[in-house]
Each structure stands twice: as C-alpha cells, then as structure tokens.
Amino acid sequence: MKSVPKVREILLDEEIDEQEFVGIINGIYKQDCYIYAVIPEWEEELFIELSNDFIIINKFPFPLTRIFPRTIGFLGYVKDRKKQNIYKFYLRSTTMDLLVFSETDVSQHLNRLNKKNIDIYNIFESNKIPHITIGPDGQWLNIVEY
C-alpha cells in the first residue's frame, strides 16, 4: 500500500522579511537545511553571493525557460547550517522553477538527474524524504512529510 504524504501549507505575508522567513524555517528544521536547486545562469548575482557554498553537480540546457536563446541551468545544493542563504533563494523562487529545502542530504541522488529528467522533486517523492517547496509567487510554503 502506497503511503500518502502529509502536506501542509504555511501562508506567507506578502512583505515577509528575512528574519521572519528564517524563523519559519528554523521552526521546521532545527539543525541543517539543504537547499537543492537548478540555478539559471542569468542569476549571476546569486552565484557571486554564494561563492563556494553552492556545490554544482551538473549543468543542463535549461528547458524550463521560455526565452531565447536557451540558457544553462546549474544543478546543485547548499548546506546552509546557519540558514543564511535560504532567504536569497526564497526571493528568487519565482524565477527558479526547481527549488527544494530539506534537512536530509540527498546530494548522492543528484548525479542521477540528466537533461531529459531534471525533476529534483521526484528524488524526494520517490524516496519519501520530507521537504519544503515554495508555492507560486512565493505566497506559501508546502511542507511535505511522510
């Protein structure tokens, strides 16, 4: 019998600031928080801010963009012990289609993804790993637990 994930939503204030957002994540993840993402190459400022913290696993032509010329997406993760980067990702969640927060290290699974299948959500769903995604326009958090 297949277990159904428990999903709850936390609505976010339109003007949520960094302290409030980090407080919500701290309430869910007491320890480390891993940020898994496919960062489009046009997010140059984010790459600079993350410097050596973002571990790139692979790069793909970015099929999710609706712009030309096509761009490259960098698949990787950040182990955010102090939760100093999660708000940076939250602010960019409307332009980054693939973004997941989790307290579980799934980095060994990332190298299985390829340009035909870069669905990072599937890693969490198929392995029943609790995680957080951000709803459209950054209006809420989806907390998925198994």
Side-chain angles (χ1 to χ4, degrees), residues 57-58 75 106-114 123:
I57 302 297
N58 210 337
L75 168 68
V106 300
S107 59
Q108 72 277 7
H109 296 286
L110 295 178
N111 59 9
R112 293 186 200 153
L113 301 177
N114 57 53
I123 292 172

Side-chain angles (χ1 to χ4, degrees), residues 73-89:
F74 296 91
L75 168 68
Y77 69 97
V78 173
K79 184 175 182 179
D80 199 2
R81 287 191 170 111
K82 297 178 183 174
K83 299 181 182 78
Q84 61 194 22
N85 294 307
I86 56 173
Y87 192 68
K88 294 172 193 170
F89 279 90

Side-chain angles (χ1 to χ4, degrees), residues 3-6 121 124-131 144-146:
S3 66
V4 178
K6 176 184 166 191
Y121 303 117
F124 294 91
E125 292 165 2
S126 63
N127 293 296
K128 297 182 178 12
I129 299 170
H131 61 281
V144 181
E145 298 167 333
Y146 293 91

Side-chain angles (χ1 to χ4, degrees), residues 3-55:
S3 66
V4 178
K6 176 184 166 191
V7 180
R8 63 187 169 104
E9 294 178 352
I10 296 178
L11 293 176
L12 300 174
D13 184 24
E14 228 175 89
E15 302 294 321
I16 192 166
D17 65 19
E18 184 172 4
Q19 184 177 358
E20 290 175 283
F21 188 77
V22 171
I24 291 169
I25 300 298
N26 275 331
I28 300 166
Y29 298 144
K30 307 290 187 225
Q31 303 293 319
D32 296 337
C33 180
Y34 291 86
I35 304 166
Y36 301 96
V38 176
I39 301 177
E41 67 184 340
W42 71 75
E43 287 288 0
E44 212 173 306
E45 183 182 316
L46 182 59
F47 281 117
I48 292 168
E49 287 179 40
L50 295 173
S51 61
N52 296 327
D53 294 336
F54 187 71
I55 309 297

